[in-house]
Amino acid sequence: MKLSGGVEWAVHCCVVLSQAEGPVPTQRLAEFHGISRTYLAKHLQQLSRAGLVTSTEGRVGGYLLTRPGDEITVLDVVQAIEGREPAFRCTEIRQNGPLPASPQVCQRPCGVNRVMQLAEQAWRESLRAVTIADLAAGVLQDAGPQTFDRVREWLAT
Amino acid sequence: MKLSGGVEWAVHCCVVLSQAEGPVPTQRLAEFHGISRTYLAKHLQQLSRAGLVTSTEGRVGGYLLTRPGDEITVLDVVQAIEGREPAFRCTEIRQNGPLPASPQVCQRPCGVNRVMQLAEQAWRESLRAVTIADLAAGVLQDAGPQTFDRVREWLAT
DNA sequence: AATTCGTGGATGACAAGTATCCGCGTTAGT
DNA sequence: ACTAACGCGGATACTTGTCATCCACGAATT
Ligand code: SF4
Ligand code: SF4
């Protein structure tokens, strides 16, 4: 079980975008984080499709958050990148073999499946409890109060 | 993010083993679930290495649970198959780019990482709360009280 | 018209998961 | 002693998913 590496990129980008004053192009975002521009573009498009971000095309275009940072949860970002498919996918092996479960028993998910989905639910709730704004506040806490001033300054270059 | 399909197999096997009277060979377990014998063998070996299961070699050998079903959690099984690596792995991109985080700031994990690990923790706790015995009880509930009698009967064939 | 930018498709490199096979050592029955 | 049933580990191959790049296109600014 492994999360896509793009999740890390996307979260960081959202934090930066939450502090930006205008549209930020992919080029800038990639440069800032020292990562691949072309590949990051793919992830930003996923954020766009998920409705977390709007894009303005053409020159001086780029990406903007559609909502303020405190209305975007980490879960939103993770699901935009990872998709909404559950990590545990049952293949219904209980229907195989010499003692298959009867069709009516299989109407509803079994205990195994329930436990797994419940655990993923707990995971999602935990991610839902934190917003991009919370993370931005954490950065300020860790790296100093003028951090985002410097970021904005560099972005304006 | 996807869990190995072997998790489903392993959990089912543990439930069966918790109801078995003697060592159950891979052949039987695979047949019972209608799955690949050779591949299941790999997963059972992982359970063995994790200490959830003991193997007796030679004829009339097979696998036995090392502890009663109520002392084996679903988390134990999942981790035996999936490993204990966290799903979110930070690549420290904050150290890249024109405004890298200072080394002393990077001493401890950032907010992003903390949130992710916390969520995984919640996931694990949720899985830890359920035991193989709980699942076995669920099967009894869903499929009828004599279900395991039939299983034992078939196993003895 | 030239430049900057997002979009989507095609493509390839690489890692991980899935699955099979074989040779080996072990054990119980004959 | 011999054989059959079993677990163990390595080697191998197939499939899928992740990671990454490139390009042609349309849109907007200068
Ligand atoms: S018993 Fe549960 S985990 Fe097993 S095959 Fe059925 S739904 Fe899937
Ligand atoms: S800020 Fe957090 S998520 Fe980002 S690179 Fe550092 S540890 Fe990883």
Side-chain angles (χ1 to χ4, degrees):
Chain A
M1 192 184 45
K2 198 184 60 170
L3 256 69
S4 162
V7 169
E8 185 183 2
W9 297 5
V11 173
H12 278 250
C13 284
C14 284
V15 172
V16 170
L17 287 176
S18 77
Q19 302 296 323
E21 288 159 326
V24 185
T26 310
Q27 172 67 39
R28 273 293 188 227
L29 255 20
E31 217 175 310
F32 183 84
H33 295 113
I35 56 183
S36 156
R37 182 185 62 85
T38 57
Y39 192 30
L40 176 62
K42 294 296 179 194
H43 291 134
L44 291 174
Q45 287 172 27
Q46 290 185 273
L47 292 182
S48 179
R49 288 193 208 102
L52 300 180
V53 131
T54 56
S55 62
T56 58
E57 292 191 348
R59 196 166 174 164
V60 301
Y63 290 98
L64 274 175
L65 291 189
T66 55
R67 310 169 238 158
D70 58 2
E71 291 176 23
I72 299 181
T73 70
V74 176
L75 180 64
D76 291 329
V77 180
V78 171
Q79 287 189 327
I81 303 298
E82 280 288 323
R84 286 137 200 88
E85 306 252 307
F88 180 82
R89 274 105 110 168
C90 158
T91 55
E92 290 291 343
I93 61 174
R94 64 175 165 179
Q95 296 182 26
N96 303 345
L99 275 73
S102 63
Q104 74 236 32
V105 169
C106 294
Q107 291 290 84
R108 58 180 176 194
C110 78
V112 181
N113 213 336
R114 281 198 295 270
V115 170
M116 292 298 181
Q117 300 312 325
L118 223 57
E120 292 188 36
Q121 188 66 25
W123 178 77
R124 285 191 292 265
E125 292 304 330
S126 189
L127 292 182
R128 203 200 312 276
V130 182
T131 68
I132 296 299
D134 295 333
L135 292 177
V139 171
L140 244 39
Q141 191 81 18
D142 287 355
Q146 325 114 304
T147 305
F148 288 131
D149 294 328
R150 282 198 289 267
V151 171
R152 272 186 289 266
E153 192 179 336
W154 181 85
L155 246 34
T157 308
Chain B
M1 192 184 46
K2 200 184 60 168
L3 255 69
S4 163
V7 169
E8 185 184 0
W9 298 5
V11 173
H12 277 251
C13 284
C14 284
V15 172
V16 171
L17 287 177
S18 77
Q19 302 296 325
E21 288 159 324
V24 184
T26 310
Q27 172 66 40
R28 272 295 188 222
L29 288 171
E31 216 174 312
F32 183 83
H33 295 114
I35 57 183
S36 156
R37 183 184 61 85
T38 56
Y39 192 28
L40 176 62
K42 294 297 180 194
H43 291 135
L44 291 174
Q45 286 171 27
Q46 289 186 275
L47 292 182
S48 179
R49 288 191 209 103
L52 300 181
V53 130
T54 56
S55 63
T56 58
E57 292 192 347
R59 192 164 177 164
V60 301
Y63 290 98
L64 274 175
L65 291 189
T66 55
R67 311 169 236 157
D70 58 3
E71 290 177 23
I72 299 181
T73 70
V74 176
L75 180 64
D76 291 330
V77 180
V78 171
Q79 287 188 327
I81 303 297
E82 281 288 321
R84 285 136 200 89
E85 306 253 304
F88 179 83
R89 275 103 109 168
C90 158
T91 55
E92 289 291 342
I93 62 174
R94 64 175 167 182
Q95 296 183 24
N96 303 344
L99 275 73
S102 62
Q104 75 238 30
V105 169
C106 294
Q107 290 291 85
R108 58 181 175 191
C110 78
V112 181
N113 213 336
R114 281 197 296 269
V115 170
M116 292 297 181
Q117 300 313 323
L118 222 58
E120 293 189 36
Q121 189 67 25
W123 177 77
R124 286 191 292 265
E125 293 303 331
S126 190
L127 291 182
R128 203 200 312 275
V130 182
T131 68
I132 296 300
D134 295 333
L135 291 177
V139 170
L140 243 38
Q141 192 81 18
D142 288 355
Q146 326 113 304
T147 305
F148 288 132
D149 294 329
R150 283 199 289 268
V151 171
R152 272 186 289 265
E153 192 180 333
W154 181 84
L155 245 36
T157 307

